[in-house]
Amino acid sequence: MSDALARPAEAGPSAPPKPNAVVAVLALAGIVVSLMQTLVIPIVPELPRLLHAEASDTAWAVTATLLAAAVATPVVGRLGDMFGKRRMLLLSIVLLVSGSVVCGLADSLVPMIVGRALQGLAAAVVPLGISIMRDALPADRLAGSTALMSASLGVGGALGLPAAAFIADHWNWHILFWVSAALGAVAFVLVLLVVPESEVRTGGRFDLVGSLGLSAGLVPLLLAVSKGGDWGWTSGATLGLGTAAVVILLAWGRWELRSAQPLVDLRTTAKPQVLFTNLASVALGFSMFAMSLVLPQLLQLPEQTGYGLGRSMLTVGLVLAPQGLVMMAMSAVSAGVTKAKGPKVTLMIGALIVAAGYGLNIVLMSEVWHLVLVSCVIGAGIGFTYGALPALIMGAVDPSQTGAANSLNTLMRSLGTSFAGALAGVILAQMTTDFGGHALPSENGFKVVMAIGAGAALLAFALATLIPGGHRPGPRTPAAETPEPTEVTAEA
């Protein structure tokens, strides 16, 4: 049994009688939350008309979700460690349902942005679910369960795109959000009935200054990255926001190091196993998102370009949907490798598979089945890596810190995707071809982005080799041997 999957011995008495039900409900909650990432993709080109606003303004319907998720994920993870992970999971689902209802009633820009921001605040569901599993499930179930929970992020996104495209093509676009609200309500009821509250808590006082400081640093950083292409990378707004982010985050780090009860324990984060896992997560987030940018455009560009396939958004969704099923299937394989060799090896294998998928894409991009194959190969690699990351994190932190640690790791992946979007946007904007008087991304531009995606996956592999520990599971970590949490409070 890998040290990364060890858990406190005292959690046994509170283990749920039906672990299969707990895993299924938590994975469902993860899938429901991940749907929000692809929910609006089919209607993004139509949002200016639907909301009676400029395209530059309607882009905030996507940006607001990104910013809210980045701010909420580490904060909610820490609150879960302090006051109950199940409690914060339920609150996150309530925010998702509320945001979906607001969007479902929206006919103008402001309520749409508000609703999408509320949906983004629910992003901590997956790391909270993984942390609940560590506290509640038998030790021999953790590898497969956490891998499945991690894979739910990709599964929901992959399956949600064709469903959203079909709904948007055949019904009023508001139905997208009413379906999201209904699924969220179902997930809330099931979590309430099936998932137990963890007794592992830190207690203490919430670091409000640290929370505000992290938010104040992340928002300008992500704004500069996500909007730099529109504003200009050398514009005063982009440079000013980037500079402000660096200054604020440095000041925030100083505060956290001096705080007795920090929002993020930077000393724990600096431990080699946590540090290199988080750095690998940034590289993997970058690599994974590159595919989401390239494949849909290749499928939708006109066939007359010589490399576009001229397909609809629904076809795009159907091409990418098998990836989600492959990720789910690979989560079980990932768990088996983790049990046998340890999560470090699992992460390394996954990174190499992702890199191989991008290599295939460089030479296979002229037929629909080529892109189905590529997305499935990359999806297999993602299934491996998503299962390994939480196992590595939980093997290095105290049980009472798993919510915050897993949430920070999720944030690292999100930062990677943001950087990928920015860099790919620059490359595809510079490497263009003329088509009927319009500049379209060139075939070579797509190949460069895919090559960079492969390089990012190989960087993740290199970083994974620096994670301490051999290829086989070693002795239990001190954190895993801790007989009791920092503080145990009554169940919620």
Side-chain angles (χ1 to χ4, degrees), residues 129-458:
I130 291 171
S131 301
I132 290 173
M133 287 177 175
R134 181 184 188 181
D135 297 341
L137 296 180
D140 61 352
R141 295 293 308 275
L142 282 179
S145 300
T146 56
L148 179 62
M149 187 69 193
S150 294
S152 69
L153 272 174
V155 172
L159 299 181
L161 185 57
F166 181 80
I167 291 173
D169 284 346
H170 291 83
W171 292 289
N172 185 286
W173 64 277
H174 291 94
I175 298 295
L176 292 169
F177 298 101
W178 290 116
V179 170
S180 174
L183 291 173
V186 170
F188 179 88
V189 173
L190 290 175
V191 169
L192 198 62
L193 294 176
V194 175
V195 178
E197 180 60 274
S198 169
E199 294 182 356
V200 182
R201 312 229 190 129
T202 61
R205 178 179 297 178
F206 180 66
D207 182 11
L208 180 60
V209 174
S211 172
L212 294 175
L214 181 59
S215 301
L218 287 175
V219 169
L221 173 64
L222 290 172
L223 274 178
V225 171
S226 61
K227 293 293 186 180
D230 297 329
W231 295 341
W233 292 106
T234 58
S235 68
T238 302
L239 294 177
L241 286 170
T243 302
V246 171
V247 172
I248 293 172
L249 289 174
L250 287 174
W252 170 79
R254 179 179 175 85
W255 170 269
E256 293 295 279
L257 287 172
R258 301 176 67 177
S259 176
Q261 295 179 321
L263 175 73
V264 177
D265 189 340
L266 294 181
R267 291 181 175 84
T268 297
T269 304
K271 293 172 62 174
Q273 182 161 326
V274 179
L275 175 63
F276 288 113
T277 300
N278 282 333
L279 290 176
S281 297
V282 175
L284 285 169
F286 186 104
S287 180
M288 293 166 189
F289 195 65
M291 176 193 64
S292 301
L293 293 170
V294 169
L295 298 192
Q297 292 193 63
L298 284 174
L299 284 162
Q300 291 183 283
L301 283 174
E303 291 183 83
Q304 292 82 352
T305 59
Y307 52 90
L309 299 177
R311 305 304 172 116
S312 67
M313 177 57 74
L314 179 58
T315 302
V316 172
L318 293 173
V319 167
L320 296 180
Q323 179 196 46
L325 301 177
V326 170
M327 287 180 63
M328 185 176 293
M330 284 300 104
S331 65
V333 181
S334 167
V337 175
T338 294
K339 287 181 179 180
K341 300 291 185 179
K344 173 180 175 177
V345 174
T346 307
L347 177 60
M348 293 166 64
I349 292 172
L352 290 178
I353 294 174
V354 171
Y358 279 110
L360 275 177
N361 202 183
I362 293 175
V363 297
L364 295 178
M365 55 185 291
S366 59
E367 301 287 345
V368 171
W369 72 265
H370 290 171
L371 302 188
V372 173
L373 174 63
V374 165
S375 68
C376 287
V377 172
I378 295 176
I382 294 172
F384 268 80
T385 60
Y386 271 17
L389 293 172
L392 286 164
I393 292 294
M394 291 190 295
V397 304
D398 188 90
S400 62
Q401 296 179 328
T402 54
N406 280 322
S407 296
L408 182 63
N409 181 254
T410 300
L411 175 62
M412 294 298 104
R413 278 182 270 174
S414 297
L415 290 176
T417 62
S418 299
F419 296 145
L423 181 58
V426 170
I427 293 171
L428 296 179
Q430 295 296 319
M431 301 183 69
T432 62
T433 184
D434 182 75
F435 182 76
H438 299 281
L440 297 179
S442 68
E443 182 178 10
N444 286 334
F446 288 122
K447 290 183 176 180
V448 168
V449 172
M450 290 183 281
I452 293 175
L458 292 175

Side-chain angles (χ1 to χ4, degrees), residues 78-135:
R78 175 60 177 157
L79 289 172
D81 286 335
M82 294 176 66
F83 303 116
K85 302 176 183 75
R86 174 177 175 265
R87 179 177 296 169
M88 298 311 300
L89 179 66
L90 289 168
L91 175 60
S92 296
I93 297 175
V94 168
L95 291 171
L96 172 68
V97 174
S98 301
S100 300
V101 170
V102 171
C103 291
L105 296 171
D107 284 311
S108 59
L109 182 62
V110 172
M112 174 62 80
I113 292 175
V114 171
R116 290 289 291 163
L118 287 171
Q119 287 184 319
L121 293 176
V125 162
V126 170
L128 284 172
I130 291 171
S131 301
I132 290 173
M133 287 177 175
R134 181 184 188 181
D135 297 341

Side-chain angles (χ1 to χ4, degrees), residues 2-60:
S2 171
D3 63 304
L5 301 175
R7 50 185 289 273
E10 85 285 356
S14 62
K18 297 181 179 179
N20 287 341
V22 173
V23 173
V25 169
L26 290 174
L28 173 64
I31 290 173
V32 170
V33 170
S34 65
L35 288 174
M36 72 178 182
Q37 299 176 357
T38 54
L39 195 66
V40 298
I41 290 178
I43 62 171
V44 164
E46 299 297 320
L47 283 179
R49 177 181 63 82
L50 297 173
L51 300 177
H52 314 290
E54 298 293 329
S56 58
D57 295 329
T58 58
W60 284 97

